[in-house]
Amino acid sequence: MSEAEQRRESLVAVYREAAECTLCPLAQTRTKVVFGAGNADADLMFIGEAPGAEEDRRGLPFVGRAGGLLNELLAEIGLDRDSVFIANTLMCRPPGNRDPQPVELESCRPYLLEKVRLIEPKVISTLGNFATKLITGDQTGITKVRGRPQVHRLGERTVRVFPILHPAAALRTPKLRETMSEDFAALSRLLGEPAPDQGPPPEDPPPRRSEPDSRSDRDQLDIFAP
Ligand code: URA
Protein backbone atom coordinates (compact mmCIF):
# COMPACT_ATOMS: atom_id res chain seq x y z
CA MET A 1 0.00 0.00 0.00
CA SER A 2 1.37 3.44 -0.90
CA GLU A 3 2.06 6.04 1.75
CA ALA A 4 -0.90 8.14 0.48
CA GLU A 5 -3.21 5.09 0.69
CA GLN A 6 -2.09 4.50 4.27
CA ARG A 7 -2.90 8.10 5.13
CA ARG A 8 -6.33 7.72 3.52
CA GLU A 9 -7.03 4.59 5.56
CA SER A 10 -6.04 6.42 8.72
CA LEU A 11 -8.36 9.27 7.75
CA VAL A 12 -11.19 6.75 7.38
CA ALA A 13 -10.45 5.53 10.92
CA VAL A 14 -10.63 9.11 12.21
CA TYR A 15 -13.90 9.58 10.32
CA ARG A 16 -15.37 6.48 12.03
CA GLU A 17 -14.46 7.82 15.43
CA ALA A 18 -15.79 11.30 14.60
CA ALA A 19 -19.10 9.92 13.33
CA GLU A 20 -19.84 8.72 16.89
CA CYS A 21 -18.39 11.76 18.67
CA THR A 22 -20.10 12.92 21.88
CA LEU A 23 -17.33 15.21 23.15
CA CYS A 24 -19.52 18.34 23.21
CA PRO A 25 -23.23 19.15 23.60
CA LEU A 26 -23.73 19.53 19.83
CA ALA A 27 -23.87 15.72 19.70
CA GLN A 28 -27.40 16.00 21.12
CA THR A 29 -28.77 18.38 18.49
CA ARG A 30 -26.95 17.35 15.29
CA THR A 31 -28.48 15.07 12.66
CA LYS A 32 -25.16 13.98 11.09
CA VAL A 33 -21.53 14.69 11.82
CA VAL A 34 -20.05 16.61 8.89
CA PHE A 35 -16.52 15.25 8.94
CA GLY A 36 -15.39 16.89 5.68
CA ALA A 37 -15.17 15.59 2.13
CA GLY A 38 -12.95 15.45 -0.91
CA ASN A 39 -9.52 14.15 -1.80
CA ALA A 40 -7.69 12.58 1.16
CA ASP A 41 -4.36 13.55 -0.49
CA ALA A 42 -5.32 17.07 -1.58
CA ASP A 43 -2.83 19.92 -1.97
CA LEU A 44 -5.63 22.35 -1.13
CA MET A 45 -7.85 22.17 1.93
CA PHE A 46 -10.65 24.60 2.78
CA ILE A 47 -11.78 25.30 6.31
CA GLY A 48 -15.18 26.94 6.70
CA GLU A 49 -17.05 27.76 9.90
CA ALA A 50 -19.65 25.11 10.71
CA PRO A 51 -22.32 23.01 9.01
CA GLY A 52 -25.67 24.67 8.28
CA ALA A 53 -29.07 23.00 8.04
CA GLU A 54 -28.53 21.29 4.68
CA GLU A 55 -25.03 20.10 5.63
CA ASP A 56 -26.39 18.70 8.93
CA ARG A 57 -29.10 16.81 7.05
CA ARG A 58 -26.75 15.32 4.44
CA GLY A 59 -23.54 14.92 6.45
CA LEU A 60 -21.52 16.78 3.80
CA PRO A 61 -19.86 20.22 3.90
CA PHE A 62 -20.92 23.19 1.76
CA VAL A 63 -23.88 21.61 0.01
CA GLY A 64 -26.19 24.64 0.37
CA ARG A 65 -26.10 27.90 -1.63
CA ALA A 66 -22.65 28.87 -0.34
CA GLY A 67 -21.43 25.47 -1.52
CA GLY A 68 -22.82 26.15 -5.00
CA LEU A 69 -20.74 29.31 -5.19
CA LEU A 70 -17.68 27.47 -3.87
CA ASN A 71 -18.11 24.94 -6.70
CA GLU A 72 -18.27 27.77 -9.27
CA LEU A 73 -15.12 29.41 -7.89
CA LEU A 74 -13.26 26.09 -7.92
CA ALA A 75 -14.28 25.55 -11.55
CA GLU A 76 -12.84 28.97 -12.44
CA ILE A 77 -9.36 27.69 -11.46
CA GLY A 78 -9.80 24.25 -13.01
CA LEU A 79 -10.54 22.39 -9.77
CA ASP A 80 -13.55 20.58 -8.37
CA ARG A 81 -14.65 19.14 -5.04
CA ASP A 82 -12.90 15.83 -5.73
CA SER A 83 -9.52 17.52 -6.09
CA VAL A 84 -9.63 19.43 -2.79
CA PHE A 85 -10.66 18.60 0.78
CA ILE A 86 -13.40 20.70 2.41
CA ALA A 87 -13.77 20.83 6.19
CA ASN A 88 -15.06 23.20 8.87
CA THR A 89 -13.90 24.40 12.30
CA LEU A 90 -16.84 22.41 13.73
CA MET A 91 -18.20 19.09 12.50
CA CYS A 92 -21.67 19.56 14.01
CA ARG A 93 -24.24 22.25 13.34
CA PRO A 94 -24.67 24.84 16.08
CA PRO A 95 -28.44 25.23 16.67
CA GLY A 96 -29.86 28.15 14.68
CA ASN A 97 -26.41 28.61 13.05
CA ARG A 98 -25.14 30.53 16.08
CA ASP A 99 -21.39 31.13 16.46
CA PRO A 100 -19.32 28.11 17.56
CA GLN A 101 -18.63 28.11 21.32
CA PRO A 102 -15.16 27.57 22.87
CA VAL A 103 -16.01 24.11 24.29
CA GLU A 104 -17.21 23.01 20.84
CA LEU A 105 -14.08 24.32 19.10
CA GLU A 106 -11.83 22.68 21.69
CA SER A 107 -13.58 19.34 21.21
CA CYS A 108 -13.30 19.50 17.42
CA ARG A 109 -9.73 20.82 17.25
CA PRO A 110 -7.92 17.46 17.58
CA TYR A 111 -10.04 16.10 14.71
CA LEU A 112 -9.18 19.10 12.54
CA LEU A 113 -5.47 18.75 13.30
CA GLU A 114 -5.64 15.03 12.46
CA LYS A 115 -7.19 15.89 9.09
CA VAL A 116 -4.35 18.34 8.40
CA ARG A 117 -1.72 15.80 9.54
CA LEU A 118 -3.10 12.99 7.37
CA ILE A 119 -4.07 14.94 4.24
CA GLU A 120 -0.80 16.95 4.24
CA PRO A 121 -2.19 19.93 2.28
CA LYS A 122 0.24 22.51 0.88
CA VAL A 123 -2.30 25.29 1.26
CA ILE A 124 -5.20 25.76 3.66
CA SER A 125 -7.71 28.36 2.56
CA THR A 126 -9.76 29.66 5.47
CA LEU A 127 -13.23 30.80 4.47
CA GLY A 128 -14.39 33.95 6.26
CA ASN A 129 -13.69 35.70 9.53
CA PHE A 130 -14.39 32.93 11.94
CA ALA A 131 -12.17 30.19 10.50
CA THR A 132 -9.42 32.70 9.64
CA LYS A 133 -9.18 34.06 13.18
CA LEU A 134 -9.25 30.57 14.68
CA ILE A 135 -6.57 29.10 12.41
CA THR A 136 -4.20 32.09 12.34
CA GLY A 137 -4.70 33.05 16.01
CA ASP A 138 -4.92 36.68 14.83
CA GLN A 139 -8.04 38.77 15.41
CA THR A 140 -7.50 41.03 12.36
CA GLY A 141 -10.68 41.13 10.25
CA ILE A 142 -11.00 39.14 7.03
CA THR A 143 -11.27 42.25 4.81
CA LYS A 144 -7.69 43.18 5.84
CA VAL A 145 -6.10 39.72 5.61
CA ARG A 146 -7.92 38.19 2.65
CA GLY A 147 -5.78 37.31 -0.36
CA ARG A 148 -2.51 37.48 1.63
CA PRO A 149 -0.71 34.16 2.21
CA GLN A 150 0.67 33.38 5.67
CA VAL A 151 2.64 30.40 6.99
CA HIS A 152 1.47 28.63 10.15
CA ARG A 153 2.29 25.51 12.12
CA LEU A 154 -0.93 23.53 12.66
CA GLY A 155 -0.24 20.58 14.91
CA GLU A 156 2.48 18.60 13.15
CA ARG A 157 2.27 20.38 9.80
CA THR A 158 3.57 23.66 8.47
CA VAL A 159 1.16 25.01 5.85
CA ARG A 160 0.51 28.09 3.79
CA VAL A 161 -2.73 29.66 5.02
CA PHE A 162 -4.65 31.72 2.48
CA PRO A 163 -7.66 33.56 3.94
CA ILE A 164 -10.52 34.41 1.63
CA LEU A 165 -14.05 35.71 2.11
CA HIS A 166 -16.75 33.25 3.06
CA PRO A 167 -18.86 32.45 -0.04
CA ALA A 168 -21.96 33.42 1.97
CA ALA A 169 -20.58 36.98 2.10
CA ALA A 170 -20.58 37.18 -1.71
CA LEU A 171 -24.13 35.82 -1.79
CA ARG A 172 -25.22 38.62 0.56
CA THR A 173 -23.15 41.32 -1.20
CA PRO A 174 -22.87 40.52 -4.94
CA LYS A 175 -20.09 43.05 -5.60
CA LEU A 176 -17.79 40.80 -3.52
CA ARG A 177 -18.12 38.04 -6.12
CA GLU A 178 -15.38 39.64 -8.25
CA THR A 179 -13.07 39.87 -5.23
CA MET A 180 -13.58 36.17 -4.64
CA SER A 181 -12.67 35.36 -8.25
CA GLU A 182 -9.48 37.40 -7.87
CA ASP A 183 -8.60 35.61 -4.63
CA PHE A 184 -9.20 32.21 -6.22
CA ALA A 185 -6.87 33.16 -9.08
CA ALA A 186 -4.21 34.09 -6.48
CA LEU A 187 -4.91 30.82 -4.65
CA SER A 188 -4.26 28.91 -7.86
CA ARG A 189 -0.88 30.65 -8.26
CA LEU A 190 -0.01 29.88 -4.64
CA LEU A 191 -0.66 26.18 -5.27
CA GLY A 192 2.08 26.32 -7.91
CA GLU A 193 4.65 27.28 -5.28
CA PRO A 194 6.57 24.65 -3.29
CA ALA A 195 5.14 23.54 0.05
CA PRO A 196 6.72 25.26 3.05
CA ASP A 197 9.63 23.46 4.72
CA GLN A 198 8.33 20.96 7.30
CA GLY A 199 11.47 20.96 9.43
CA PRO A 200 12.68 17.69 10.99
CA PRO A 201 10.01 14.96 11.36
CA PRO A 202 8.70 14.32 14.89
CA GLU A 203 10.88 11.72 16.66
CA ASP A 204 8.06 9.38 17.61
CA PRO A 205 5.15 9.78 15.18
CA PRO A 206 1.79 8.53 16.49
CA PRO A 207 0.75 5.11 15.09
CA ARG A 208 -1.37 5.15 11.94
CA ARG A 209 -4.78 3.62 12.54
CA SER A 210 -6.51 1.55 9.88
CA GLU A 211 -9.70 -0.51 9.83
CA PRO A 212 -11.64 -2.06 6.97
CA ASP A 213 -14.61 -0.11 5.55
CA SER A 214 -18.04 -1.36 6.56
CA ARG A 215 -21.04 -1.41 4.23
CA SER A 216 -23.05 1.17 6.20
CA ASP A 217 -20.23 3.72 5.89
CA ARG A 218 -19.87 3.37 2.14
CA ASP A 219 -21.67 6.62 1.19
CA GLN A 220 -19.55 8.70 3.52
CA LEU A 221 -16.31 6.95 2.67
CA ASP A 222 -16.82 7.66 -0.99
CA ILE A 223 -16.26 11.27 -0.06
CA PHE A 224 -12.53 10.65 0.26
CA ALA A 225 -11.99 10.17 -3.44
CA PRO A 226 -8.37 9.37 -4.35
N1 URA B 1 -20.96 27.38 5.79
C1 URA B 1 -19.84 26.86 6.37
O1 URA B 1 -19.02 27.58 6.94
N2 URA B 1 -19.65 25.55 6.26
C2 URA B 1 -20.49 24.74 5.62
O2 URA B 1 -20.22 23.53 5.55
C3 URA B 1 -21.64 25.31 5.03
C4 URA B 1 -21.85 26.63 5.12
Side-chain angles (χ1 to χ4, degrees), residues 34 47-52 55 60-64 66-67 86-88 127 166-168:
V34 181
I47 301 182
E49 184 172 327
E55 289 80 17
L60 294 169
F62 281 95
V63 286
I86 305 175
N88 281 302
L127 298 170
H166 195 289

Side-chain angles (χ1 to χ4, degrees), residues 148-168:
R148 295 166 185 260
Q150 311 175 13
V151 175
H152 287 276
R153 184 87 183 162
L154 297 181
E156 291 180 22
R157 299 291 300 173
T158 302
V159 291
R160 294 189 197 285
V161 174
F162 191 74
I164 53 183
L165 297 173
H166 195 289

Side-chain angles (χ1 to χ4, degrees), residues 152-211:
H152 287 276
R153 184 87 183 162
L154 297 181
E156 291 180 22
R157 299 291 300 173
T158 302
V159 291
R160 294 189 197 285
V161 174
F162 191 74
I164 53 183
L165 297 173
H166 195 289
L171 292 174
R172 280 192 303 268
T173 311
K175 70 174 196 290
L176 295 177
R177 176 70 175 75
E178 187 54 35
T179 307
M180 293 208 76
S181 285
E182 285 163 18
D183 286 352
F184 266 70
L187 177 57
S188 176
R189 290 192 292 275
L190 190 62
L191 283 166
E193 291 184 15
D197 187 10
Q198 293 300 315
E203 270 180 20
D204 195 7
R208 305 251 195 239
R209 286 169 293 185
S210 71
E211 287 168 28

Side-chain angles (χ1 to χ4, degrees), residues 24-30 50-53 56 90 92-101 104:
C24 86
L26 293 180
Q28 277 135 45
T29 50
R30 72 170 180 239
D56 173 68
L90 287 190
C92 297
R93 182 191 183 206
N97 297 343
R98 62 153 170 74
D99 278 357
Q101 301 294 297
E104 299 158 1

